[in-house]
Amino acid sequence: MDNLTPWKEALKERTLYGCFVTYGLPDIAEVTALMGFDFLLLDNEHGVIEQSTLADMVRASQLRGVPAVVRCTMKEYDHIQKALDFGANGVQLPLVNTAEDARLPRPQGHTVFDTEGALVAAHNVGYPTMVRPSYVLGGRAMEIVYNDDELRNYMTYAVKASHEHPVLVDHYLQGTEVEVDAICDGKEVLIPGIMEHVERAGVHSGDSIAVYPPRSLSESVIRTIIEYTNKMALGLEVKGMINIQYIVRDEHVYVIEVNPRSSRTVPFLSKITGISMVDVATRCAMGMSLKEQGLQAGLRFFPDYYAVKAPVFSFNKMSNVDITLGPEMKSTGEVMACDYQYSRALYKACIASGINVPHEGAILITVADMDKPEAVAIARGFEELGYTVIATGGTAEYLQQYGVTVEVATKVSEGHPNLIDDIKSGRIGMVINTTNHGRDAERDGFKIRRSTVEHAIACLTSMDTARELLNVMSAMRRRSVVRVTALQDLTWED
């Protein structure tokens, strides 16, 4: 174990940034105790991970501030050290000039290996926390937890944490989520577009409604996003595409995810900006610069029209699946709609994605306690548009306190006729429902949501979506004509 001493010293000098290559590494738990901090283990004893992939994983780990340990066979030891350009004692020099350069603002978080460590981390960063396995696709097994009991339940049943399969515990920061797709040739960065999500952070980006160009971001925030995007693309030595997700809160920008690859938003941005992003990125990967392709680095000018990307779900083809949106992706497709007016673009996207927007009738509102303050303005807005507002007991009482005329619904557990009967009969044309839980098939909320799926009724599980739909319906009442416009006929002002 003496060979750990130079590693620890080297890491101290580099503010805990680095990477080590070793063979015959002893028990990982013992190493963790000796090192005194979390690290990412890249186990390549069987040689199945390519060296280029190892390098990418090491760089990503460094930007997160977590040292990486590469375990390999003695035969591969010298080859991997050489390929990754390690310095003395197997410590890789930072990819950026200083550790501060890599430490872009992000929600505070920790890597943990067991339930005890998760509880300590959660108390350190503060609830609510976002918990997820260290490597996931589509937000698989990601959850937002609000207390110790929920965290223990997650660590016990949702994942099997270990030193080989660590879990990330990050502070859940509410704010506007922003997504960027960029192309880097190794020296310059092209940003075709910045997209703003309708739903706040916490809903998976694949399940969110994305709007281009962004509607609420200030010039200062946009400049910061450009700066951070350039710094990460160049720091990671990307030659091709990079996808970055940010949270904007109180005019501050935080990085929540960086993927040095293409993303599902590339076709959307390519169509709407006219930049063939796959072609450009492929040429960059093959050594051709952006200038050689006739492209100017930086953020492309925003158009004078709006494009909206909306998710498509297939819940009607799946039984016993909760439709509540969250960190885990559930959509199976997406649609795009464009218009010179944002409200009409969003209306087109909602219709195209399969949301049956009612123009009259009753709307059921049943929301979690933390969402009731937001529900007041939404309920009042729908009431002013002529809709009948129906709500379950607790929500109805809260809304009535603020002067909203509400009809109290009979809960499922209170006999017949109840609110599900009203859904089946068509009396209720849309449901706004939020909950902290909902995985239990016996809960009223789950039954309500499944009933809307079975009867093709719109069910909104995000207050942000409900608010935007209210604004859309208000705008459509003033001007209900929606024209179909060909994408190539939209004008672009440079």
Coordinates of all heavy atoms in Angstrom, one line a residue, residues 320-385:
N320 N -50.4 0.1 -16.5 CA -49.9 0.3 -15.1 C -48.6 1.1 -15.1 O -47.7 0.9 -14.2 CB -49.6 -1.1 -14.5 CG -49.7 -1.1 -13.0 OD1 -50.6 -0.4 -12.5 ND2 -48.9 -1.9 -12.3
V321 N -48.4 2.0 -16.0 CA -47.3 2.9 -16.0 C -47.7 4.3 -15.5 O -48.7 4.9 -16.1 CB -46.6 3.0 -17.4 CG1 -45.5 4.1 -17.4 CG2 -46.1 1.6 -17.8
D322 N -47.0 4.9 -14.5 CA -47.4 6.2 -14.1 C -46.9 7.3 -15.1 O -45.7 7.2 -15.5 CB -46.7 6.5 -12.7 CG -47.3 7.6 -12.0 OD1 -48.0 8.4 -12.6 OD2 -47.2 7.7 -10.8
I323 N -47.7 8.2 -15.4 CA -47.4 9.2 -16.4 C -46.8 10.5 -15.8 O -46.5 11.4 -16.6 CB -48.6 9.6 -17.2 CG1 -49.6 10.4 -16.4 CG2 -49.3 8.3 -17.8 CD1 -50.8 10.9 -17.2
T324 N -46.6 10.5 -14.5 CA -46.0 11.7 -13.9 C -44.6 11.9 -14.5 O -43.8 11.0 -14.5 CB -45.9 11.5 -12.4 OG1 -47.2 11.3 -11.9 CG2 -45.3 12.7 -11.7
L325 N -44.3 13.2 -14.8 CA -43.0 13.5 -15.4 C -42.0 13.8 -14.3 O -42.3 14.3 -13.3 CB -43.1 14.7 -16.3 CG -44.0 14.5 -17.5 CD1 -43.9 15.8 -18.4 CD2 -43.6 13.3 -18.3
G326 N -40.7 13.4 -14.5 CA -39.7 13.6 -13.5 C -38.3 13.4 -14.2 O -38.2 13.6 -15.4
P327 N -37.3 13.1 -13.4 CA -35.9 13.0 -14.0 C -35.7 11.8 -14.9 O -34.8 11.8 -15.7 CB -35.1 12.9 -12.7 CG -35.9 13.3 -11.6 CD -37.3 13.0 -11.9
E328 N -36.6 10.8 -14.8 CA -36.5 9.7 -15.7 C -37.3 9.8 -16.9 O -38.5 10.1 -16.9 CB -37.0 8.4 -14.9 CG -36.6 7.1 -15.5 CD -36.9 5.9 -14.6 OE1 -38.1 5.7 -14.3 OE2 -36.0 5.3 -14.2
M329 N -36.6 9.7 -18.1 CA -37.3 9.9 -19.4 C -38.4 8.9 -19.7 O -38.2 7.7 -19.5 CB -36.2 9.9 -20.5 CG -36.7 10.3 -21.9 SD -35.4 10.4 -23.1 CE -36.3 10.4 -24.6
K330 N -39.5 9.4 -20.2 CA -40.6 8.5 -20.5 C -41.2 8.7 -21.9 O -42.0 7.9 -22.4 CB -41.8 8.8 -19.5 CG -41.4 8.4 -18.1 CD -42.6 8.6 -17.1 CE -42.2 8.2 -15.7 NZ -43.3 8.4 -14.8
S331 N -40.7 9.8 -22.6 CA -41.2 10.0 -24.0 C -40.7 9.1 -25.0 O -39.6 8.5 -24.8 CB -40.9 11.5 -24.4 OG -39.6 11.7 -24.5
T332 N -41.4 8.9 -26.1 CA -40.9 7.9 -27.1 C -40.8 8.6 -28.5 O -40.5 8.0 -29.5 CB -42.0 6.8 -27.3 OG1 -43.3 7.3 -27.5 CG2 -42.0 5.9 -26.0
G333 N -40.9 9.9 -28.5 CA -40.8 10.6 -29.8 C -40.9 12.1 -29.5 O -41.0 12.6 -28.4
E334 N -40.9 12.9 -30.6 CA -41.1 14.3 -30.4 C -41.6 15.0 -31.7 O -41.5 14.4 -32.8 CB -39.8 15.0 -30.0 CG -38.7 14.8 -31.0 CD -37.3 15.1 -30.4 OE1 -37.2 15.2 -29.1 OE2 -36.3 15.3 -31.1
V335 N -42.2 16.1 -31.6 CA -42.7 16.9 -32.8 C -42.1 18.3 -32.7 O -41.7 18.8 -31.7 CB -44.2 16.9 -32.8 CG1 -44.8 15.5 -33.0 CG2 -44.8 17.6 -31.6
M336 N -42.2 19.0 -33.9 CA -41.7 20.3 -34.0 C -42.7 21.2 -34.6 O -43.4 20.8 -35.6 CB -40.4 20.4 -34.8 CG -39.8 21.8 -34.9 SD -38.2 21.8 -35.8 CE -38.9 21.9 -37.5
A337 N -42.9 22.4 -34.1 CA -43.8 23.4 -34.7 C -43.2 24.8 -34.7 O -42.4 25.1 -33.8 CB -45.1 23.4 -33.9
C338 N -43.6 25.5 -35.7 CA -43.0 26.9 -35.9 C -44.1 27.9 -36.2 O -45.1 27.6 -36.8 CB -42.0 26.9 -37.0 SG -40.7 25.7 -36.9
D339 N -43.8 29.1 -35.7 CA -44.7 30.2 -36.0 C -44.0 31.5 -35.6 O -43.1 31.5 -34.8 CB -46.0 30.1 -35.3 CG -47.2 30.8 -36.0 OD1 -47.2 32.1 -35.9 OD2 -48.0 30.2 -36.6
Y340 N -44.5 32.6 -36.2 CA -43.9 33.9 -35.8 C -44.4 34.3 -34.4 O -43.8 35.2 -33.8 CB -44.3 35.0 -36.8 CG -43.6 34.8 -38.2 CD1 -44.3 34.2 -39.3 CD2 -42.3 35.1 -38.3 CE1 -43.6 34.0 -40.5 CE2 -41.6 34.9 -39.5 CZ -42.3 34.4 -40.6 OH -41.7 34.2 -41.8
Q341 N -45.5 33.8 -33.9 CA -46.0 34.0 -32.6 C -45.7 32.8 -31.7 O -46.1 31.7 -32.1 CB -47.5 34.3 -32.6 CG -47.9 35.6 -33.4 CD -47.4 36.8 -32.7 OE1 -47.3 36.9 -31.4 NE2 -47.0 37.8 -33.4
Y342 N -45.2 33.0 -30.5 CA -44.8 31.9 -29.7 C -46.0 31.1 -29.3 O -46.0 29.9 -29.3 CB -44.1 32.4 -28.4 CG -44.0 31.4 -27.3 CD1 -43.2 30.3 -27.4 CD2 -44.8 31.6 -26.1 CE1 -43.2 29.4 -26.4 CE2 -44.7 30.7 -25.1 CZ -43.9 29.5 -25.2 OH -43.9 28.6 -24.2
S343 N -47.1 31.8 -28.9 CA -48.3 31.1 -28.5 C -48.9 30.1 -29.5 O -49.3 29.0 -29.2 CB -49.4 32.1 -28.0 OG -49.7 32.9 -29.1
R344 N -48.8 30.6 -30.8 CA -49.3 29.7 -31.9 C -48.4 28.6 -32.1 O -48.8 27.5 -32.4 CB -49.6 30.6 -33.1 CG -50.7 31.5 -33.0 CD -51.3 31.9 -34.4 NE -50.4 32.6 -35.2 CZ -50.3 33.9 -35.3 NH1 -51.1 34.7 -34.5 NH2 -49.4 34.5 -36.1
A345 N -47.1 28.8 -32.0 CA -46.1 27.7 -32.2 C -46.3 26.7 -31.1 O -46.3 25.5 -31.4 CB -44.7 28.3 -32.1
L346 N -46.5 27.1 -29.9 CA -46.7 26.1 -28.8 C -48.1 25.4 -29.0 O -48.1 24.2 -28.7 CB -46.7 26.8 -27.4 CG -46.8 26.0 -26.2 CD1 -45.8 24.8 -26.2 CD2 -46.7 26.8 -24.9
Y347 N -49.1 26.1 -29.4 CA -50.4 25.5 -29.6 C -50.3 24.4 -30.7 O -50.8 23.3 -30.5 CB -51.4 26.5 -30.1 CG -52.8 26.0 -30.4 CD1 -53.6 25.6 -29.3 CD2 -53.2 25.8 -31.7 CE1 -54.9 25.1 -29.6 CE2 -54.5 25.3 -31.9 CZ -55.3 24.9 -30.9 OH -56.6 24.4 -31.2
K348 N -49.6 24.7 -31.8 CA -49.4 23.7 -32.9 C -48.6 22.5 -32.3 O -48.9 21.3 -32.6 CB -48.5 24.3 -34.0 CG -49.2 25.4 -34.8 CD -48.3 25.9 -35.9 CE -48.9 27.0 -36.7 NZ -47.9 27.6 -37.7
A349 N -47.6 22.7 -31.5 CA -46.8 21.6 -30.9 C -47.6 20.7 -30.0 O -47.5 19.5 -30.1 CB -45.6 22.2 -30.2
C350 N -48.5 21.4 -29.2 CA -49.4 20.6 -28.3 C -50.3 19.7 -29.1 O -50.5 18.5 -28.8 CB -50.2 21.5 -27.4 SG -49.2 22.4 -26.1
I351 N -51.0 20.3 -30.2 CA -51.9 19.5 -31.0 C -51.1 18.4 -31.7 O -51.6 17.2 -31.7 CB -52.6 20.4 -32.0 CG1 -53.4 21.5 -31.3 CG2 -53.5 19.6 -32.9 CD1 -54.5 21.0 -30.4
A352 N -50.0 18.7 -32.3 CA -49.2 17.7 -33.0 C -48.7 16.5 -32.1 O -48.6 15.4 -32.5 CB -48.0 18.3 -33.7
S353 N -48.4 16.8 -30.8 CA -47.9 15.8 -29.9 C -49.0 15.0 -29.3 O -48.8 14.0 -28.6 CB -47.1 16.5 -28.8 OG -48.0 17.3 -27.9
G354 N -50.3 15.3 -29.6 CA -51.4 14.4 -29.2 C -52.1 14.9 -27.9 O -53.0 14.2 -27.4
I355 N -51.8 16.2 -27.5 CA -52.6 16.7 -26.4 C -53.9 17.2 -26.8 O -54.0 18.1 -27.7 CB -51.8 17.9 -25.7 CG1 -50.4 17.3 -25.1 CG2 -52.6 18.5 -24.6 CD1 -49.6 18.4 -24.5
N356 N -55.0 16.7 -26.3 CA -56.3 17.1 -26.6 C -56.7 18.3 -25.8 O -57.2 18.2 -24.7 CB -57.3 16.0 -26.4 CG -57.1 14.8 -27.4 OD1 -56.8 15.0 -28.5 ND2 -57.2 13.6 -26.9
V357 N -56.5 19.5 -26.3 CA -56.7 20.7 -25.6 C -58.2 21.1 -25.7 O -58.7 21.4 -26.7 CB -55.9 21.9 -26.2 CG1 -56.1 23.2 -25.3 CG2 -54.4 21.5 -26.2
P358 N -58.9 21.1 -24.5 CA -60.4 21.4 -24.6 C -60.6 22.9 -24.7 O -59.8 23.7 -24.1 CB -60.9 20.9 -23.2 CG -59.7 21.0 -22.3 CD -58.5 20.8 -23.2
H359 N -61.6 23.3 -25.5 CA -61.9 24.7 -25.6 C -63.0 25.2 -24.7 O -63.3 26.4 -24.6 CB -62.2 25.0 -27.1 CG -61.1 24.9 -28.0 ND1 -60.2 25.9 -28.3 CD2 -60.6 23.8 -28.7 CE1 -59.3 25.5 -29.1 NE2 -59.5 24.2 -29.4
E360 N -63.6 24.2 -24.0 CA -64.6 24.5 -23.0 C -64.8 23.3 -22.1 O -64.2 22.3 -22.3 CB -65.9 24.8 -23.7 CG -66.4 23.7 -24.6 CD -67.7 24.1 -25.4 OE1 -68.1 25.2 -25.2 OE2 -68.3 23.2 -26.1
G361 N -65.6 23.5 -21.1 CA -65.9 22.3 -20.2 C -65.3 22.5 -18.8 O -65.0 23.6 -18.4
A362 N -65.0 21.4 -18.2 CA -64.5 21.4 -16.8 C -63.0 20.9 -16.8 O -62.6 20.1 -17.5 CB -65.3 20.5 -15.9
I363 N -62.3 21.5 -15.8 CA -60.8 21.2 -15.6 C -60.7 20.7 -14.2 O -61.1 21.5 -13.3 CB -59.9 22.4 -16.0 CG1 -60.0 22.7 -17.4 CG2 -58.5 22.0 -15.5 CD1 -59.1 23.9 -17.8
L364 N -60.1 19.6 -14.0 CA -59.9 19.0 -12.6 C -58.5 19.4 -12.2 O -57.5 19.2 -12.9 CB -60.0 17.5 -12.6 CG -59.6 16.8 -11.3 CD1 -60.5 17.2 -10.2 CD2 -59.6 15.3 -11.5
I365 N -58.4 20.0 -11.0 CA -57.1 20.4 -10.4 C -56.9 19.7 -9.1 O -57.7 19.9 -8.2 CB -57.0 21.9 -10.2 CG1 -57.2 22.6 -11.6 CG2 -55.6 22.3 -9.6 CD1 -57.2 24.2 -11.5
T366 N -55.9 18.9 -9.0 CA -55.6 18.2 -7.7 C -54.0 18.2 -7.6 O -53.4 17.4 -8.4 CB -56.2 16.8 -7.6 OG1 -55.7 16.1 -6.5 CG2 -56.0 16.0 -8.9
V367 N -53.5 19.0 -6.8 CA -52.0 19.2 -6.7 C -51.5 19.0 -5.3 O -52.2 19.0 -4.3 CB -51.6 20.6 -7.3 CG1 -52.0 20.7 -8.7 CG2 -52.2 21.7 -6.4
A368 N -50.1 18.7 -5.3 CA -49.4 18.6 -4.1 C -49.4 19.9 -3.3 O -49.6 21.0 -3.9 CB -48.0 18.1 -4.3
D369 N -49.2 19.8 -2.0 CA -49.3 21.0 -1.1 C -48.3 22.1 -1.6 O -48.6 23.3 -1.6 CB -49.0 20.6 0.3 CG -50.1 19.8 1.0 OD1 -51.2 19.9 0.4 OD2 -49.9 19.2 2.0
M370 N -47.1 21.7 -2.0 CA -46.1 22.6 -2.4 C -46.5 23.4 -3.7 O -45.9 24.4 -4.0 CB -44.7 22.0 -2.5 CG -44.7 20.9 -3.6 SD -43.0 20.1 -3.7 CE -43.3 18.9 -5.0
D371 N -47.4 22.8 -4.5 CA -47.8 23.4 -5.7 C -49.1 24.3 -5.6 O -49.5 24.9 -6.6 CB -48.0 22.4 -6.8 CG -46.7 21.7 -7.2 OD1 -45.7 22.3 -7.2 OD2 -46.7 20.4 -7.4
K372 N -49.7 24.3 -4.5 CA -51.0 25.0 -4.3 C -50.9 26.5 -4.5 O -51.8 27.1 -5.2 CB -51.7 24.6 -3.0 CG -52.2 23.2 -3.0 CD -52.7 22.8 -1.6 CE -53.3 21.3 -1.7 NZ -53.7 20.8 -0.4
P373 N -49.8 27.1 -4.0 CA -49.7 28.6 -4.3 C -49.7 28.9 -5.8 O -50.3 29.9 -6.2 CB -48.4 28.9 -3.6 CG -48.3 27.9 -2.5 CD -48.8 26.7 -3.1
E374 N -49.0 28.1 -6.6 CA -49.0 28.3 -8.0 C -50.3 28.0 -8.7 O -50.6 28.6 -9.7 CB -47.9 27.4 -8.7 CG -46.5 27.8 -8.3 CD -45.5 27.0 -9.1 OE1 -45.3 27.1 -10.3 OE2 -44.8 26.1 -8.4
A375 N -51.1 27.1 -8.1 CA -52.3 26.7 -8.7 C -53.4 27.8 -8.7 O -54.3 27.7 -9.5 CB -52.8 25.4 -8.0
V376 N -53.2 28.7 -7.8 CA -54.3 29.8 -7.6 C -54.4 30.6 -8.9 O -55.5 30.7 -9.5 CB -53.9 30.7 -6.4 CG1 -54.9 31.8 -6.4 CG2 -54.0 29.9 -5.1
A377 N -53.3 31.1 -9.4 CA -53.3 31.9 -10.6 C -53.8 31.1 -11.8 O -54.5 31.6 -12.7 CB -52.0 32.6 -10.9
I378 N -53.3 29.8 -11.9 CA -53.7 29.0 -13.0 C -55.2 28.7 -13.0 O -55.9 28.8 -14.0 CB -52.9 27.7 -13.0 CG1 -51.4 28.0 -13.2 CG2 -53.4 26.7 -14.0 CD1 -50.5 26.8 -13.0
A379 N -55.8 28.4 -11.8 CA -57.2 28.1 -11.7 C -58.0 29.3 -12.0 O -59.0 29.3 -12.7 CB -57.5 27.6 -10.3
R380 N -57.6 30.5 -11.5 CA -58.3 31.7 -11.7 C -58.3 32.0 -13.2 O -59.3 32.5 -13.8 CB -57.7 32.9 -10.9 CG -58.4 34.2 -11.1 CD -57.8 35.3 -10.2 NE -58.0 35.0 -8.8 CZ -57.0 34.9 -7.9 NH1 -55.8 35.0 -8.3 NH2 -57.2 34.7 -6.7
G381 N -57.2 31.8 -13.9 CA -57.1 32.1 -15.3 C -58.0 31.2 -16.1 O -58.7 31.7 -17.1
F382 N -58.1 29.9 -15.8 CA -59.0 29.1 -16.6 C -60.5 29.4 -16.3 O -61.4 29.4 -17.1 CB -58.8 27.6 -16.2 CG -57.6 27.0 -17.0 CD1 -56.5 26.6 -16.4 CD2 -57.7 26.8 -18.4 CE1 -55.4 26.1 -17.1 CE2 -56.7 26.3 -19.1 CZ -55.5 25.9 -18.4
E383 N -60.7 29.8 -15.0 CA -62.1 30.3 -14.7 C -62.5 31.5 -15.5 O -63.6 31.6 -16.0 CB -62.2 30.6 -13.2 CG -63.5 31.0 -12.7 CD -63.6 31.5 -11.3 OE1 -62.5 31.7 -10.7 OE2 -64.6 31.7 -10.7
E384 N -61.6 32.5 -15.7 CA -61.9 33.7 -16.4 C -62.1 33.4 -17.9 O -62.8 34.1 -18.6 CB -60.7 34.6 -16.3 CG -60.6 35.2 -14.9 CD -59.4 36.1 -14.7 OE1 -58.5 36.1 -15.6 OE2 -59.2 36.7 -13.6
L385 N -61.5 32.2 -18.4 CA -61.7 31.8 -19.8 C -63.0 31.1 -20.0 O -63.4 30.7 -21.1 CB -60.6 31.0 -20.2 CG -59.2 31.7 -20.4 CD1 -58.1 30.7 -20.8 CD2 -59.3 32.8 -21.5

